Amino acid sequence: MTITAEQKQAADWLLSTTRAVRKRLDLERPVEPEVILDCLRLAVQAPTGSNSQGWRWMVVTDQAKRAKLAEFYKSVGNKYMAAKGQEDTDAQTRKVRDSAGYLVDVIEKVPALVIPCIAGKPTSVEQAAGFFGSIHPAIWSFSLALRSRGLGSVWTTFHLAHAQETAELLGIPEGFTQAAMLPVAYTKGTDFKPAVRGPIEDITFWNTWDNSTPE
């Protein structure tokens, strides 16, 4: 089967416009469980090491539990934002930082918080590469599926400083590692655009580091 030009265009659009969404998350509109399940069905089509399929997905919609997760998130996020606020940086990074600070302030209002988990725990950097490689592709596929349905999210990790407390709050059993937390909501508008990036030729090397000429 040949990929059509229309299919390629749709895939390229999805890949180039799936943004980290914070300020444009709709905090008032509920997210239907069926939509999250549809996106997760697509997510688990992602590759996983040795076909282990050790992923589990913790979806938190209960208001009290979201509020508690927000406490964990804010306890780290506020410190991080205060430290980063002292750094000089470019306009685009300042915009991202401002957006991240906004999410810290409103995280408990996001309709659904999704915590991807993976069976096991890495014991070395070498093992961690394959270990997280068995869940990260699925997380990104989930994000792409959300985008295609008019929802958005952003990959966050602040709550992981309280991973044990989170596990106790949600009943996550021993032997599972939390990989991230994704706030999920419909987006205010869908007109996202590709981000500003430097030329790919400046960061791509062929056969030897710093050799930018294809051979």
Side-chain angles (χ1 to χ4, degrees):
M1 178 179 177
T2 303
I3 300 295
T4 67
E6 290 78 11
Q7 288 171 325
K8 178 180 177 295
Q9 184 178 27
D12 289 354
W13 170 84
L14 188 65
L15 290 165
S16 63
T17 65
T18 300
R19 305 260 62 85
V21 186
R22 302 178 184 90
K23 285 190 173 182
R24 290 178 62 179
L25 294 173
D26 190 337
L27 305 179
E28 304 298 326
R29 182 178 175 183
V31 175
E32 303 87 347
E34 294 78 11
V35 174
I36 293 179
L37 289 172
D38 282 346
C39 292
L40 290 175
R41 287 188 186 98
L42 291 168
V44 297
Q45 291 297 315
T48 178
S50 300
N51 195 34
S52 57
Q53 302 184 45
W55 39 47
R56 299 292 186 275
W57 305 86
M58 189 76 241
V59 183
V60 184
T61 56
D62 178 82
Q63 184 175 0
K65 291 184 177 181
R66 281 188 288 127
K68 192 62 180 178
L69 288 174
E71 289 182 22
F72 301 153
Y73 190 85
K74 291 173 187 283
S75 70
V76 179
N78 284 326
K79 293 177 183 177
Y80 178 85
M81 298 309 302
K84 287 295 182 180
Q86 306 302 315
E87 299 178 2
D88 286 332
T89 188
D90 60 273
Q92 183 178 355
T93 303
R94 286 195 296 273
K95 183 178 179 180
V96 171
R97 182 186 299 161
D98 179 64
S99 176
Y102 168 82
L103 184 62
V104 171
D105 291 338
V106 304
I107 187 73
E108 71 277 4
K109 297 179 182 179
V110 180
L113 300 174
V114 177
I115 300 176
C117 302
I118 185 76
K121 293 186 182 296
T123 57
S124 67
V125 173
E126 180 181 2
Q127 185 190 20
F131 179 80
F132 287 110
S134 288
I135 185 67
H136 286 175
I139 297 173
W140 187 238
S141 290
F142 178 64
S143 300
L144 294 170
L146 290 171
R147 164 68 171 147
S148 72
R149 288 160 173 76
L151 294 90
S153 187
V154 58
W155 195 307
T156 76
T157 56
F158 285 152
H159 90 287
L160 292 177
H162 297 275
Q164 183 57 45
E165 295 98 317
T166 297
E168 293 170 0
L169 174 69
L170 303 175
I172 299 172
E174 285 289 332
F176 282 89
T177 297
Q178 301 165 50
M181 183 168 75
L182 288 85
V184 173
Y186 282 96
T187 57
K188 297 176 181 179
T190 59
D191 55 332
F192 296 95
K193 298 172 182 167
V196 177
R197 298 287 190 258
I200 195 63
E201 292 80 5
D202 291 348
I203 57 173
T204 303
F205 309 132
W206 299 83
N207 302 311
T208 302
W209 191 267
D210 279 343
N211 176 33
S212 299
T213 304
E215 296 177 352

